[in-house]
């Protein structure tokens, strides 16, 4: 589906507003609000039904970790620790940095997706000739926040990676912008594979988006795996499990939305996008 400049500008805020409405925790809140409305309106059956559904959902999330069922097809799309040989660049997608805390405390902070940086640093040391590329802006509606690219610069240089090896892109607000804004910066690189580093749950969508944007010779390098072995899933972990369920739902919605708008395509339809 073709998209014009107006749609491009609206895609980011509309996607954020839509996600606020459909995320699983919003549905839980909605059920509790319906139950409250039922009580206030003296509609006992409505209140009991809504409250029962909310409690059942709470227990399922807390005890059974349903996110793993949704995350499985995403995290198994590409293998961990793929073969890499003399890559031209290591591209790290934003999301693993904590820009606000970095700005507040004057030292680099990482988020729960910080494994992206650990993997990139290890790869950078293993392949010292490869350029290290980071792409990511603030991800906020407001301006004035430290861009993710500056946090990445502090993390990489603090890990001993020379600043002249870095290529930093700090304007992107989503995965599509990551792909489109960063591709021109790769024009002068030598021949070689492009190692794409992001969280395993995000890799499937990232590959489809980068293929749609015209990237070639990608080597998906997933990290930050979330699925737990069956023996570690049981327990009372409502907050953790809800967070993972939110993440899984967001990723599936994003995958479908990007495909529908032409921002994501199967790599099989773009020969050369993935390195053989």
């Amino acid at each position: 589906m073709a998209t014009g400049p107006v749609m491009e500008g609206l895609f980011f805020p509309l996607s954020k507003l839509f996600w606020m409405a459909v995320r699983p925790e919003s549905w839980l809140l909605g059920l509790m609000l319906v139950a409250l409305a039922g009580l206030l309106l003296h509609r006992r059956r409505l209140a009991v039904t809504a409250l029962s559904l909310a409690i059942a959902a709470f227990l399922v999330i807390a005890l059974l970790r349903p996110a793993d069922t949704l995350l499985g097809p995403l995290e198994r799309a590409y293998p961990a620790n793929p073969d890499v040989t003399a890559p031209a660049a290591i591209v790290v997608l934003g999301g693993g940095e904590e820009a606000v805390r970095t700005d507040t405390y004057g030292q680099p902070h990482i988020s729960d997706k910080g494994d992206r940086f650990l993997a990139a640093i290890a790869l950078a040391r293993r392949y010292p000739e490869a350029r290290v590329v980071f792409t990511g802006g603030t991800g906020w509606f407001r301006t004035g926040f430290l861009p993710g690219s500056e946090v990445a610069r502090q993390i990489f240089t603090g890990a001993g990676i020379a600043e002249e090896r870095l290529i930093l892109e700090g304007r992107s607000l989503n995965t599509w912008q990551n792909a489109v804004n960063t591709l021109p910066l790769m024009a002068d690189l030598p021949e070689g594979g492009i190692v794409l580093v992001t969280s395993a749950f995000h890799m499937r969508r990232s590959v489809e988006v980068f293929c749609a944007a015209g990237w070639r010779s990608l080597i998906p390098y997933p990290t930050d795996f979330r699925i737990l072995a069956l023996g570690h899933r049981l327990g009372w972990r409502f907050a953790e499990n809800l967070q993972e369920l939110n993440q899984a739902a967001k990723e599936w919605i994003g995958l479908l939305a990007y495909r529908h708008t032409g921002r994501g395509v199967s790599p099989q339809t773009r020969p050369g996008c993935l390195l053989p």
Side-chain angles (χ1 to χ4, degrees):
M1 178 182 295
T3 56
V6 175
M7 187 60 189
E8 289 290 338
L10 290 175
F11 186 82
F12 176 72
L14 288 177
S15 65
K16 295 299 182 184
L17 292 173
F18 177 76
W19 171 238
M20 289 173 61
V22 302
R23 58 194 300 161
E25 61 189 28
S26 296
W27 284 88
L28 282 175
L29 176 61
L31 285 171
M32 290 186 284
L33 290 175
V34 170
L36 177 61
L39 290 174
L40 295 176
L41 297 173
H42 305 290
R43 298 183 61 178
R44 184 175 180 276
R45 178 176 295 181
L46 175 65
V48 170
T49 300
L51 186 58
S52 298
L53 289 173
I55 293 173
F58 185 98
L59 292 173
V60 168
I61 293 170
L63 295 173
L64 300 181
R65 195 176 170 85
D68 282 6
T69 301
L70 296 174
L71 289 171
L74 299 174
E75 294 202 344
R76 288 192 289 267
Y78 297 97
N81 304 312
D83 292 332
V84 178
T85 303
I90 301 157
V91 178
V92 187
L93 299 192
E97 72 284 353
E98 280 276 8
V100 175
R101 288 188 175 88
T102 298
D103 200 22
T104 301
Y105 298 105
Q107 56 182 236
H109 281 65
I110 59 174
S111 71
D112 61 338
K113 304 177 184 69
D115 289 4
R116 302 179 189 188
F117 285 108
L118 296 179
I121 290 168
L123 287 166
R125 290 178 175 173
R126 193 184 313 165
Y127 304 103
E129 300 302 318
R131 300 295 296 273
V132 179
V133 184
F134 176 87
T135 170
T138 63
W140 292 74
F141 288 106
R142 304 187 302 273
T143 59
F145 288 93
L146 191 71
S149 56
E150 172 57 23
V151 183
R153 185 192 66 78
Q154 294 181 27
I155 292 172
F156 287 133
T157 56
I161 298 173
E163 190 159 356
E164 55 266 25
R165 288 183 64 188
L166 302 179
I167 298 176
L168 304 174
E169 186 285 310
R171 297 182 297 113
S172 298
L173 300 177
N174 55 37
T175 309
W176 173 252
Q177 292 182 10
N178 289 147
V180 172
N181 292 340
T182 310
L183 184 57
L185 306 180
M186 314 294 285
D188 297 330
L189 292 184
E191 291 293 325
I194 306 295
V195 183
L196 183 63
V197 180
T198 189
S199 298
F201 62 80
H202 187 233
M203 184 59 76
R204 183 171 172 181
R205 175 158 60 107
S206 298
V207 168
E208 293 192 7
V209 170
F210 273 63
C211 287
W215 286 68
R216 298 180 63 81
S217 300
L218 293 175
I219 305 170
Y221 199 97
T223 185
D224 180 33
F225 288 84
R226 302 300 178 93
I227 296 177
L228 296 177
L230 184 60
H232 297 286
R233 294 183 191 178
L234 300 180
W236 189 262
R237 302 186 181 94
F238 177 76
E240 175 188 335
N241 292 354
L242 179 60
Q243 181 180 0
E244 299 298 345
L245 184 59
N246 279 327
Q247 189 65 69
K250 178 182 179 181
E251 202 56 39
W252 276 109
I253 292 171
L255 185 68
L256 297 175
Y258 274 72
R259 287 176 178 176
H260 181 69
T261 57
R263 293 175 172 85
V265 298
S266 170
Q268 283 71 36
T269 65
R270 301 293 172 91
C273 178
L274 296 181
L275 193 70

